């Protein structure tokens, strides 16, 4: 009898926790979509804020160039070296160029760039907006008749949508350059052969699929980091919590979106 | 001018205000006093539409602002200026951009005119030559004064002050009190101040309202409040550790 009652209590508690978790989950996703809608409306209805957009483009894009260069260049090197293990056994070294070019443009450059931007800029956005929230600066904006979404989120969204794809193109270039360096210096592939094997299989579609992904990643990073920031509460500790949550949730959603788009492009192509 | 009618508000299932009624007359300086966390700032934020009531209405010049759409509310807020507890200056902007925020946003004015108006407002709060400084470089008292300059830049009809003397030394506190009273007299605004600093309340107020247990329990001129027979009001204004406020709740020490 007692065991039955304990099981019943356990099941009830589990169901209640699951219900709360689901409610919170739907509330969170709903909040993200509402913020996205308000931001997109803000792009067309609010007056353009060129200065803020340029400032954010500098913070998100220009300042991220060195780290994107380092990571994409070394990823290209690692990718060439790792694939050389197998391909040299089959005397198919020249395909390393194609492999590097396709995996960088279709997959690695957009995802790595998005993860770098989420970690570097998404966290900074959440920390900045979170601090503004807990020090009543966002409420102050409202009392000054300014719409916080139009003033804070829209310029960041525009900057992110422009700069993340640009950083991805940059990562494409340096990732391929990393592979080229290894191909020429260590694998003894000639310059003309490496270039031919890079460009021949590569089509505009490959680069475009990477760019479509990067635009969606940019939207995910911006909306999550801004949402977490403007909903921060509980002082410095709360801002820290929101910042961690912003990075973790951005990473998860970027990977899910990547899986979704890769699947979509695969099934559309076939 | 401002009327809170049967306003109730709760956060996270905790009731903060219950059927609160309060009327602010045009041109007066009303001070709301009460213990920390009793809902003073929440009632102030109701008046400017930062918080919407769960029940009841907030009337500003006869318009219920709790039902207004955001664009209408933004227009209504142009009548208001607000000084926040921590001044809430925008860290990324200079003093000039902070004080002139609304002019840069909404007024069709040349930069030189905005700069002149900002200098004029900074002069009114006793500051000069700090237009290019960032808020991080200012002291607590200076931040409050810059916040005050930002609140008066559009010549508002109503100014709200949230704990204006909290976090500043007594001398700066007295300067801010005198400044608030001076601005109230010269600009002919309606002022609503929230504080638990009784010295400040007596200096600023035409009328004082005491908020306790989610409602207004006493309202009157500073003299009427000083001579109030209500034991709760008496304990609060005298700052006594013993009395009905602390009775039985273990907060004596």
């Amino acid at each position: 009898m007692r065991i039955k009652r304990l099981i019943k209590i356990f099941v009830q508690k589990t169901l209640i926790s699951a219900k709360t978790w689901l409610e919170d989950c739907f509330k969170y996703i709903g909040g993200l979509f509402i913020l996205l809608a308000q931001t997109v409306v803000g792009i067309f209805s609010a007056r353009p804020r060129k200065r803020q957009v340029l400032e954010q483009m500098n913070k998100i894009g220009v300042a991220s160039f060195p780290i994107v260069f380092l990571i994409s260049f070394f990823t290209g090197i690692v990718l060439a070296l790792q694939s050389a293990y197998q391909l040299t056994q089959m005397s198919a070294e020249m395909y390393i160029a194609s492999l590097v070019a396709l995996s960088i443009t279709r997959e690695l450059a957009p995802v790595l760039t998005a993860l770098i931007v989420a970690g570097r800029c998404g966290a900074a956005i959440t920390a900045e907006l979170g601090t503004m929230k807990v020090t009543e600066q966002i409420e102050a904006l409202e009392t000054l008749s300014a719409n916080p979404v139009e003033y804070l989120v829209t310029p960041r969204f525009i900057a992110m949508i422009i700069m993340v794809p640009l950083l991805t193109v940059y990562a494409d270039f340096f990732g391929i350059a990393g592979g080229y360096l290894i191909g020429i210096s260590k694998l003894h592939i000639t310059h003309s052969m490496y270039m031919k094997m890079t460009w021949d299989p590569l089509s505009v579609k490959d680069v475009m699929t990477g760019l479509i992904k990067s635009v969606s990643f940019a939207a995910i990073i911006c909306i999550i980091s801004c949402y977490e920031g403007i909903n921060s509460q509980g002082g410095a500790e709360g801002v820290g919590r929101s910042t961690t949550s912003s990075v973790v949730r951005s990473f998860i959603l970027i990977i899910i979106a990547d899986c979704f788009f890769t699947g979509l492009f695969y099934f559309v192509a076939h | 001018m401002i009327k809170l009618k049967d306003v109730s508000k709760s956060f996270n299932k905790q009731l903060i205000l219950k059927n609160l009624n309060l009327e602010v007359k045009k041109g007066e300086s009303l001070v709301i006093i009460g213990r920390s966390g009793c809902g003073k700032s929440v009632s102030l934020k109701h008046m400017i539409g930062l918080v919407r009531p769960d029940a009841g209405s907030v009337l500003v010049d006869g318009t219920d602002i709790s039902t207004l759409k955001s664009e209408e509310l933004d227009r209504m807020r142009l009548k208001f200026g607000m000084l926040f507890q921590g001044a809430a200056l925008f860290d990324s902007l200079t003093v000039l951009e902070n004080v002139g925020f609304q002019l840069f946003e909404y007024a069709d004015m040349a930069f030189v005119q905005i700069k002149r108006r900002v200098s004029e407002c900074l002069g009114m709060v006793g500051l000069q030559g700090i237009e290019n400084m960032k808020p991080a470089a200012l002291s607590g008292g200076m931040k409050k004064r810059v916040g005050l300059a930002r609140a008066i830049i559009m010549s508002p009809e109503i100014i709200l002050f949230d704990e204006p003397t909290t976090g500043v030394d007594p001398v700066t506190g007295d300067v801010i009190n005198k400044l608030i009273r001076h601005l109230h007299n010269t600009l002919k605004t309606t002022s609503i101040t929230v504080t638990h600093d009784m010295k400040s309340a007596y200096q600023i107020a035409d009328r004082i309202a005491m908020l306790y247990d989610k409602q207004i329990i006493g309202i009157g001129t500073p003299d009427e409040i000083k001579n109030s027979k209500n034991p709760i009001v008496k304990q609060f204004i005298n700052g006594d550790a013993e009395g009905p406020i602390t009775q039985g709740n273990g907060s004596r020490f």
Side-chain angles (χ1 to χ4, degrees), chain B:
Chain B
M1 181 147 209
I2 301 177
K3 215 177 202 179
L4 269 65
K5 277 172 78 179
D6 297 320
V7 168
S8 295
K9 182 72 190 173
S10 48
F11 292 107
N12 299 324
K13 293 177 185 168
Q14 194 188 347
L15 196 60
I16 306 293
L17 302 174
K18 189 181 172 190
N19 298 327
L20 180 114
N21 286 290
L22 180 66
E23 189 175 353
V24 186
K25 293 170 193 161
K26 194 178 168 84
E28 79 166 331
S29 173
L30 178 82
V31 173
I32 303 171
I33 57 170
R35 295 191 81 196
S36 298
C38 74
K40 303 185 298 288
S41 295
V42 172
S43 41
L44 195 72
K45 285 175 182 176
H46 272 94
M47 293 177 192
I48 196 169
L50 285 175
V51 175
R52 291 186 190 240
D54 295 338
S57 52
V58 181
L59 303 173
V60 177
D61 289 336
T63 310
D64 186 356
I65 63 163
S66 59
T67 57
L68 291 182
K69 289 180 185 160
S70 62
E71 297 81 19
E72 294 167 328
L73 195 56
D74 283 345
R75 271 197 296 278
M76 178 64 86
R77 280 178 180 148
L78 290 172
K79 285 185 180 182
F80 286 86
M82 183 165 179
L83 173 63
F84 285 84
Q85 196 172 335
L89 300 178
F90 306 125
D91 298 325
S92 56
L93 306 182
T94 61
V95 169
L96 172 71
E97 289 164 332
N98 262 289
V99 177
F101 186 89
Q102 285 181 303
L103 298 179
F104 284 117
E105 286 290 311
Y106 313 111
D108 190 19
M109 283 168 78
F111 181 77
V112 183
Q113 288 173 299
I114 294 178
K115 209 172 167 188
R116 199 176 305 133
R117 173 71 182 144
V118 168
S119 298
E120 188 189 328
C121 286
L122 284 172
M124 285 167 89
V125 297
L127 294 171
Q128 268 165 349
I130 58 160
E131 284 87 341
N132 296 321
M133 287 169 84
K134 287 275 183 88
L138 305 176
S139 68
M142 283 167 96
K143 279 183 191 170
K144 293 248 176 177
R145 286 199 261 175
V146 172
L148 196 49
R150 184 174 70 181
I152 59 172
I153 192 93
M154 298 289 275
S155 310
E157 294 170 38
I158 307 157
I159 309 182
L160 310 178
F161 301 96
D162 189 3
E163 310 266 11
T165 54
T166 301
V168 294
D169 64 84
V171 177
T172 310
D174 193 52
V175 171
I176 290 173
N177 289 335
K178 287 199 164 78
L179 200 54
I180 290 173
R181 193 66 225 183
H182 172 73
L183 289 174
H184 175 77
N185 292 338
T186 50
L187 302 174
K188 310 284 176 212
T189 55
T190 304
S191 310
I192 302 115
T193 309
V194 151
T195 186
H196 45 61
D197 174 357
M198 286 314 298
K199 192 183 166 215
S200 171
Y202 293 140
Q203 256 182 295
I204 298 169
D206 291 329
R207 283 198 306 155
I208 297 175
M210 170 135 181
L211 184 62
Y212 179 75
D213 196 20
K214 308 167 188 73
Q215 286 176 331
I216 297 292
I217 57 157
I219 188 163
T221 61
D223 282 337
E224 283 168 346
I225 289 293
K226 270 182 200 166
N227 301 319
S228 171
K229 297 273 185 291
N230 186 326
I232 296 171
V233 176
K234 271 170 87 173
Q235 186 192 351
F236 184 82
I237 61 170
N238 293 328
D240 293 334
E242 286 177 40
I245 297 176
T246 44
Q247 206 168 42
N249 63 6
S251 62
R252 200 182 132 193
F253 298 109

Side-chain angles (χ1 to χ4, degrees), chain A residues 177-194:
Chain A
Y180 172 84
L181 185 76
I182 292 300
I184 299 293
S185 63
K186 293 287 169 201
L187 305 173
H188 311 296
I189 307 170
T190 61
H191 166 78
S192 55
M193 179 57 82
Y194 198 97

Side-chain angles (χ1 to χ4, degrees), chain A residues 47 49 51-52 55 59 128 131-132 135-147 151 233, chain B residues 45 48 50 74 77-78 82 84-86 88-91 93 97 101-102 104-106 150 162:
Chain A
R47 72 179 178 83
R49 296 178 190 279
R51 204 189 90 180
Q52 277 108 318
E55 218 170 80
K59 281 185 190 172
E128 187 180 353
T131 308
M132 286 185 77
T135 55
E136 295 182 312
Q137 291 178 50
I138 292 185
E139 283 187 338
L141 264 180
E142 289 184 63
T143 63
L144 297 170
S145 305
N147 181 330
Y151 188 77
Q233 47 191 346
Chain B
K45 285 175 182 176
I48 196 169
L50 285 175
D74 283 345
R77 280 178 180 148
L78 290 172
M82 183 165 179
F84 285 84
Q85 196 172 335
L89 300 178
F90 306 125
D91 298 325
L93 306 182
E97 289 164 332
F101 186 89
Q102 285 181 303
F104 284 117
E105 286 290 311
Y106 313 111
R150 184 174 70 181
D162 189 3

